[in-house]
């Protein structure tokens, strides 16, 4: 639906389970994407190559997920002017705080748009919001999605009465 | 230069000094913007109004800065499908960690693109990156800016030799 | 027993298990309450509506539980002069520290009475303490509850001797 | 104006500067209060005495401020069924995080209504919200205060234009 | 063996499993002790009574274990000049950091000798070290224990070779 | 007054200003002490020597102050059965949290009695409490000191009324 | 292959499972090593002996792993001029943050080369990098290993397509 | 004196004041070095070039200093098999904890030898320890330095007596 593709890069295939919700949202919103495993540390040349050619390859947004000393989003951002969305992955002894700090605390000049720890679905939604600026039908998809969110809250209220009754017993 | 305006919202006028570098980048990049003080807690109706009408008012990106229990970016995001960039402001006893967590840890469905604590300049650059997707001349501005960053590093190397000499003395 | 009702709002139905102890205390103390799922981000209009009409609807206290970037208590507080009690819910990578900071670090003007992470029972007790100011029989219930707490400590001491014997063996 | 007095207890006179904004709000709202210095550790008998007689002495709410291992609010709460509002004070190497945890993480049975680190003004506002449940004129004062907050945001917007101009120069 | 008894106080019987290693060390070292469950918040009068009479009752050291907003060690210390050893118990969302801060960050005048989170065995050893100052045979027990610790390290080295072989396979 | 001396060891002379309050309390309580600068890292042989001979040299308690990776208290404790009191010193980027963790989190077998960050005075008081177990006149000194603490709280209350008046103006 | 041996020291045999990946890398790289359990606190004399004789015994690098108040790497470093690599081990309530701080925050004069929490494999690789400075064949082994890392990333990309298909279903 | 040079890279010239002590140690130890400003984000191509040619250029060790999301040491390590020493620089709202985590928490395969926050002098000493493995005269310099450290501790003890006298007055 969108005119740009989204490039989803994971630092390791252990990040795949976290990123499933990202892929599902992109599929649901019919946003074309490509996924790559690419490490800022183990395959730095590919990372540089991937980011520096992303714009010319038709990508509009890069989503990068990494854990621990999560340099991947920042390293990709160093090589492109495309907006880079960073997903800090929980994992290791510090539970993702290390990844959050390593992604969000970028120095002036090279921003990374950081979402929550393991916030893979939101990375996809944010990418959609960015691409929707020039794609009115994608904007409509997002408006509909927002209404679904609201409706799902209302729906859960219906189940609440029953649950409360069971407590009282 | 861009077709969309940027809306910059601050939770309090005490956030203004931090946001100066944001305004300067927007001016430097010739991106039209409007600035507002609006609090998620003290003026919630205006916040809701501002966000829910932002798209129709010609804005393409919202930048929201707040400190402490920094709800503003998330609250604005609740009312719009525009990408919202959150700037956690340092301040108070927790030095901005509270603001960072309150902005970045958004639940599924409502992302906020979070930048570094006090990362106001990067918020503007990220906004520019987003708007540049559909504005090639803004993209050129960003490419130039990236080259300037690189050049400024090289320039600083020139001063290094002198500094090292003075240590040796 | 009390003249005011308590409004219990949860940001998500995943907060229900945590809030069970809140409902049980309210039931035990015979305090009338209503429970709602309502999200500051997914159903912001309802949140605003709920809080701004709560006083007129006969509520005296609002208890709001949320996790992650837990904006719900603060957002409700923005729309009402009723005391709002916030329950930070453990969950996600940060174990509720994010929710605690997002609830307790409210800016001047809009307080939220914050209890412990997952402190749902205490939220109900605090609500009872507030309502007991104008309800002497509820005050008696609280005095009795306090004595029960003290008695339960004494009772546990009786089991201690046996446990210690088993260690010595 | 309210029928109950507020008891404000500080763990040390070094907490006085922080608590000034609390006293000012209570005076502004014309809520009668008494202030005491009383330490959970240095004067434990007085603390016990103060809290256990507070209700009979006509107090409706206790505000307790303390720093470091801030036991005062919890210790007072142990001796009374009155709502106790805790103000964690910044100070020492941990900047008030120790005080926050020591106040908010109360065990089941003995809640403390915790406000932000150094959130003295909000402690007073929260006390007012509690007392306003049975005092309609105090409720009116709070409604007015809420409108003032909103108006002050609007007023600050007027100064914003000038500030932005000066940046552009 | 020692002339003074040790008083071991737990804030809740849920702290018992943690404290087992404390009891075992006291038994191993033949130090007489009494154990009590007593809460600074749920049974404050008993806590005050227990601590203020501990010296006259023949106790020489108090060990106090508590979790969350762990006020118990500090509250007991407020009522006695006996050395109080605090054991922060892991538990709840903050994993015992709340308990550690609430125990160790005592204000000037009222120290608590804090050991590691869940450091129950060390609390007993520290109590033994204190009592050994006036009990030479207990000092001998401690010297022997120190040699056992050293010997146990040496013994574990013997198993190491085998383990390493199994890796190489 | 006490029969044992106290050995006060500092990891660096930069810890001296923090430790002044420790020396003052020891002098006030007339407890004989010796002070040494000795580093676990820069002078490890002296540290080992100092601790292993401390008991034979007539010391009853060791107080050790250190900052950063504060190994000194634990290292001294490794060489002696005397109770070792550790004072984590604020300093460096982590404000003493590193020192606190490095001192308090000792493994089973080798306790360090940890006081607050920069809690030098409390280290001296704790030493006094330990030595008072076998020195009744020192116990009297401590009882008197406790009463002074209580009296000083009462005295500060007298100044409070004036301060409050000045706010009201 | 290397001319120096690596000495691997663990504070406790509970650190063995973490250190397995260290031993495997050393074996894979054919670097001779010896492993020892040795505690800075339980066997301090052996620790001092081990470190002070390590250079003369033909060791070129020391790897030291410890958890909690992890003094071992720093204590060994105090007794040798060999480079000491510290591995903070996750464990206990603080998940290894205590060990990290206790290892990395060494004072000026006595560095410890710290790797990630549980970063045992990287400790071995770092040791290999150090030894490779004077051993060209080990340098070749490292170059090959680096290429293997890069190749393994590429290989994982091949599996990615399948995984993505399964999501779409 | 050493056969290899040390390459010192700073992410920004604002890191220079911190790194002065590094340069002074290298000069004192007569270790040849070159210094460069090079950013992982602003000049990524140079960073890659610098690291990938460092070994061939005669460098034996790389010291890299950076603050905030400090990717520089890890990025350099990705391109070389030389040991890379990382210096986390204090700065920004998080006081260097972000830099520490971003440097030390490297994934398996690419270690960075991390020293303390602002631990620039120790980075130089660690480099010297590494280079001394094949340079006996540098090893002698380090042995001498170690003795100087020990002597300086002893010397400070001499001033201690005077300081203590002044307290007593």
């Amino acid at each position: 639906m969108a005119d740009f593709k989204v490039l989803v890069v994971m630092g390791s295939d252990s990040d795949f389970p976290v990123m499933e919700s990202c892929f599902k949202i992109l599929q649901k919103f019919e946003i074309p994407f490509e996924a790559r495993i690419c490490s800022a540390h183990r395959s730095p040349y590919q990372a540089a190559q991937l980011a520096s050619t992303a714009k010319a390859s038709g990508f509009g947004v890069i989503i990068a997920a990494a854990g621990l000393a999560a340099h991947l989003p920042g390293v990709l951002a160093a090589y492109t002017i495309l907006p880079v969305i960073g997903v800090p992955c929980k994992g290791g002894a510090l539970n993702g705080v290390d990844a959050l700090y390593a992604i969000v605390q970028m120095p002036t000049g090279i921003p990374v748009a950081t979402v929550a720890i393991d916030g893979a679905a939101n990375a996809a939604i944010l990418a959609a919001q960015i691409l929707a600026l020039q794609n009115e039908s994608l904007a409509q998809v997002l408006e509909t999605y927002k209404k679904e969110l609201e409706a799902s809250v209302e729906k859960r209220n219906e189940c609440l009465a029953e649950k409360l009754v069971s407590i009282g017993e």
Side-chain angles (χ1 to χ4, degrees), chain A:
Chain A
M1 193 185 268
D3 307 316
F4 291 111
K5 293 176 292 178
V6 171
L7 175 61
V8 183
V9 191
M10 288 162 282
S12 154
D13 59 356
S14 66
D15 300 328
F16 190 84
V18 166
M19 293 305 285
E20 270 201 45
S21 60
C22 174
F23 297 128
K24 284 184 180 163
I25 291 278
L26 292 173
Q27 289 174 341
K28 175 186 163 85
F29 289 178
E30 296 183 23
I31 297 172
F33 69 93
E34 292 179 25
R36 287 293 300 271
I37 293 170
C38 183
S39 163
H41 304 120
R42 287 186 298 267
S43 54
Y45 294 101
Q46 284 88 330
Q49 175 75 5
L50 202 55
S52 58
T53 61
K55 186 159 180 279
S57 305
F59 294 106
V61 179
I62 298 176
I63 293 172
L68 302 170
H71 299 185
L72 184 63
V75 163
L76 297 176
Y79 289 100
T80 183
I81 63 161
L82 293 181
V84 174
I85 299 171
V87 184
C89 294
K90 184 179 169 177
L94 297 176
N95 265 336
V97 170
D98 42 3
L100 172 59
Y101 289 174
I103 292 175
V104 81
Q105 286 291 87
M106 288 292 289
T108 294
I110 314 287
V112 169
T114 309
V115 294
I117 300 175
D118 283 356
N122 272 359
I125 297 168
L126 180 57
Q129 291 177 327
I130 291 169
L131 297 176
L133 285 181
Q134 50 161 16
N135 185 324
E136 192 49 37
S137 60
L138 184 53
Q140 279 312 311
V141 166
L142 281 166
E143 295 284 7
T144 304
Y145 176 70
K146 225 173 173 57
K147 291 206 183 77
E148 287 169 10
L149 287 176
E150 196 167 357
S152 79
V153 171
E154 204 46 50
K155 201 170 168 184
R156 281 163 190 175
N157 263 312
E158 293 163 19
C159 318
L160 199 54
E162 289 174 50
K163 288 190 183 178
L164 284 168
V165 168
S166 71
I167 288 177
E169 281 163 4

